[in-house]
Amino acid sequence: CGAPHPDALTGRTMMGEVWLLLGLAGYAALLLWGLHMVQSGIMRAYGSRLRQRLGVGLANRRRFDEVLLTEWQRATRSRQPLGLAMLDVDWFKHYNDAYGHQAGDECLRMVARVLQTQVRRVSDLVARYGGEEFALIVPETSAENMLSLAKALQTALEALALPHAESVFGHVTVSIGIAVQVPTVDATPEQLLQRADAALYRAKIEGRNRIAG
């Protein structure tokens, strides 16, 4: 058999180069798609918190659970404290009974605006936990800072002086339970949530319109 014609060798070489280029192009496209998906996820998370700063709305319970787990894992890696506050509008059922559900909804919106105004960091999360209960997730904070934030929330709400004839205080108030913890690998975010919830319970049984932690 004779040797391959030079043109045939050149054609095979060119085809090999084409397939190589196509393979590299496909890999590059896949890499860019992966980066896009990662960036999209980051922007969605950032956008959710940014919308809160703009007053569009509070995070729901599902979003709260997601962010609590994410921030817990981040704090575990960085060994930084994670703060959590649980807030409850005092005697809200009596408020609804006295003023009606429409007024009750407006009351909750006013409380939400106060929370959004006072919780300024983009890294923090304000959530509607359920009913008349709200929650705050505050990464990289201290017990002192959480107490200061809780006091600022109460002061800002009192400044609105929303009438509440069924309250012993005469206006809308909130009880707040706070907890701060440096996460460890053998702990869970549920433990932080239980501590904040227990503190909220203490604030309520001690007379309401209080902060416990």
Side-chain angles (χ1 to χ4, degrees):
C1 297
H5 194 280
D7 289 343
L9 293 174
T10 301
R12 292 174 188 172
T13 302
M14 291 179 62
M15 286 300 297
E17 292 176 349
V18 168
W19 283 111
L20 177 62
L21 290 173
L22 287 173
L24 291 173
Y27 177 78
L30 183 61
L31 180 61
L32 289 173
W33 179 81
L35 290 173
H36 170 72
M37 294 302 293
V38 170
Q39 291 173 345
S40 296
I42 294 173
M43 290 307 296
R44 279 196 299 272
Y46 175 79
S48 175
R49 299 184 188 186
L50 182 60
R51 284 195 296 274
Q52 290 183 39
R53 305 282 78 77
L54 298 176
V56 174
L58 300 183
N60 58 22
R61 174 66 180 275
R62 179 178 177 180
R63 181 62 183 154
F64 168 83
D65 291 338
E66 292 173 348
V67 173
L68 179 60
L69 178 59
T70 299
E71 293 299 343
W72 179 272
Q73 293 170 340
R74 192 195 317 276
T76 301
R77 293 192 299 269
S78 63
R79 299 181 181 178
Q80 293 295 318
L82 179 62
L84 179 63
M86 304 295 293
L87 301 86
D88 191 84
V89 180
D90 296 324
W91 293 293
F92 184 71
K93 183 181 183 303
H94 297 310
Y95 186 97
N96 263 341
D97 293 341
Y99 298 97
H101 291 286
Q102 186 173 351
D105 290 342
E106 181 59 28
C107 172
L108 293 179
R109 280 192 287 269
M110 295 295 289
V111 173
R113 291 191 191 106
V114 168
L115 299 181
Q116 290 173 312
T117 300
Q118 296 298 316
V119 181
R120 299 184 178 93
R121 300 190 310 175
V122 174
S123 60
D124 301 340
L125 185 87
V126 183
R128 177 83 176 273
Y129 193 75
E132 67 273 19
E133 199 168 359
F134 299 87
L136 310 177
I137 298 175
V138 186
E140 297 184 17
T141 190
S142 64
E144 292 78 10
N145 287 339
M146 285 298 292
L147 180 59
S148 296
L149 175 59
K151 289 180 178 179
L153 293 173
Q154 286 191 326
T155 300
L157 183 58
E158 288 176 2
L160 292 181
L162 299 174
H164 190 345
E166 301 301 315
S167 168
V168 297
F169 304 106
H171 58 272
V172 174
T173 59
V174 292
S175 298
I176 306 175
I178 59 176
V180 178
Q181 182 174 341
V182 177
T184 57
V185 293
D186 58 345
T188 65
E190 286 75 22
Q191 293 173 338
L192 179 63
L193 182 59
Q194 290 170 1
R195 288 180 55 206
D197 198 52
L200 173 60
Y201 179 74
R202 289 197 303 274
K204 293 169 71 173
I205 64 174
E206 290 173 2
R208 292 181 168 83
N209 193 25
R210 295 172 182 267
I211 302 167

